[in-house]
């Protein structure tokens, strides 16, 4: 079996002026030509279906903060044999205060290659305070839906800004 990842370039353009162009006595005339260009990701697999199944698993969630803003990394593994671009959302329920809920909050992903694990950053509302939370994560690729519940003590510790540290070191040297 073999597989190919690629892009299909689609370009649509008007070749001539529109046929319903009205004549007028105006001294100024304008024809705006339209051009639309897009890239579509394609995957072509040659072989049996079992060689190209699609699946994913939700591995973990990790909390941190940067400059006072709270973030959560959603860690997803592509356990299938095809590239995927899942969509998903996260809901929070406090384990300390009954009835305190937030979400669902959507997160975006990039294309994930087979067998690879990726983390996707999502901003967490400031109303979510450190403490014990139940976190429901949903990830969907086509008709495949995976969910997982985590019980975490969110602390939102300040992350290390490596770029800022590197710039400071370089400015001293």
């Amino acid at each position: 079996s073999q597989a190919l990842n690629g892009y299909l370039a689609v370009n649509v353009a008007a070749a001539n002026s529109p046929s319903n162009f009205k004549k007028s006595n105006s001294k100024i005339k304008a024809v705006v030509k339209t051009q639309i260009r897009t890239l579509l990701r394609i995957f072509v697999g040659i072989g049996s279906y079992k060689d190209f199944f699609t699946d994913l698993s939700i591995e973990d969630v990790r909390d941190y903060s940067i400059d006072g803003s709270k973030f959560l990394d959603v860690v997803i593994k592509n356990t299938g044999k095809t590239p995927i671009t899942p969509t998903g959302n996260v809901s929070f329920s406090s384990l300390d205060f009954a009835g305190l809920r937030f979400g669902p909050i959507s997160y975006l992903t990039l294309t994930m290659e087979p067998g690879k694990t990726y983390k996707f950053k999502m901003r967490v509302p400031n109303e979510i305070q450190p403490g014990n939370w139940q976190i429901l994560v949903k990830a969907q690729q086509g008709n495949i839906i995976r969910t997982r519940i985590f019980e975490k003590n969110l602390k939102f510790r300040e992350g290390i800004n490596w770029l800022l540290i590197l710039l400071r070191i370089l400015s001293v040297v």
Side-chain angles (χ1 to χ4, degrees):
S1 63
Q2 290 190 349
L4 171 72
N5 278 316
Y7 290 93
L8 175 64
V10 178
N11 190 26
V12 179
N16 298 319
S17 299
S19 60
N20 61 354
F21 189 72
K22 296 180 180 177
K23 294 185 177 183
S24 73
N25 293 331
S26 174
K27 293 181 181 181
I28 300 174
K29 294 182 184 179
V31 175
V32 179
K33 292 190 177 183
T34 304
Q35 182 170 341
I36 300 170
R37 177 178 285 175
T38 186
L39 287 175
L40 302 172
R41 185 176 172 88
I42 60 169
F43 173 80
V44 178
I46 301 171
S48 71
Y49 176 75
K50 66 181 178 183
D51 294 332
F52 299 106
F53 70 92
T54 300
D55 203 0
L56 59 104
S57 67
I58 302 165
E59 300 290 312
D60 197 9
V61 291
R62 300 176 188 143
D63 64 290
Y64 57 98
S65 70
I66 298 175
D67 297 328
S69 297
K70 299 171 186 174
F71 294 93
L72 189 75
D73 279 347
V74 178
V75 182
I76 298 176
K77 182 174 184 178
N78 181 351
T79 57
K81 303 275 185 169
T82 59
I84 60 173
T85 309
T87 59
N89 59 57
V90 178
S91 298
F92 298 86
S93 297
S94 176
L95 296 174
D96 297 327
F97 301 101
L100 184 59
R101 292 186 171 86
F102 294 93
I105 302 167
S106 297
Y107 62 88
L108 300 174
T109 67
L110 300 172
T111 300
M112 301 174 60
E113 296 300 323
K116 303 285 184 181
T117 301
Y118 296 81
K119 62 181 179 180
F120 303 103
K121 182 190 319 188
M122 63 171 288
R123 183 114 186 239
V124 175
N126 288 333
E127 292 81 15
I128 296 180
Q129 295 300 315
N132 295 309
W133 291 88
Q134 184 180 66
I135 305 163
L136 170 64
V137 181
K138 175 184 168 188
Q140 180 172 355
Q141 172 63 37
N143 61 352
I144 298 169
I145 300 173
R146 299 288 180 256
T147 59
R148 186 160 175 197
I149 296 175
F150 298 93
E151 290 189 1
K152 296 265 186 169
N153 182 3
L154 300 180
K155 295 179 174 63
F156 299 112
R157 291 192 175 124
E158 191 71 24
I160 298 173
N161 189 340
W162 292 106
L163 179 62
L164 185 61
I165 291 171
L166 180 64
L167 290 174
R168 286 181 181 166
I169 291 171
L170 290 176
S171 68
V172 172
V173 175

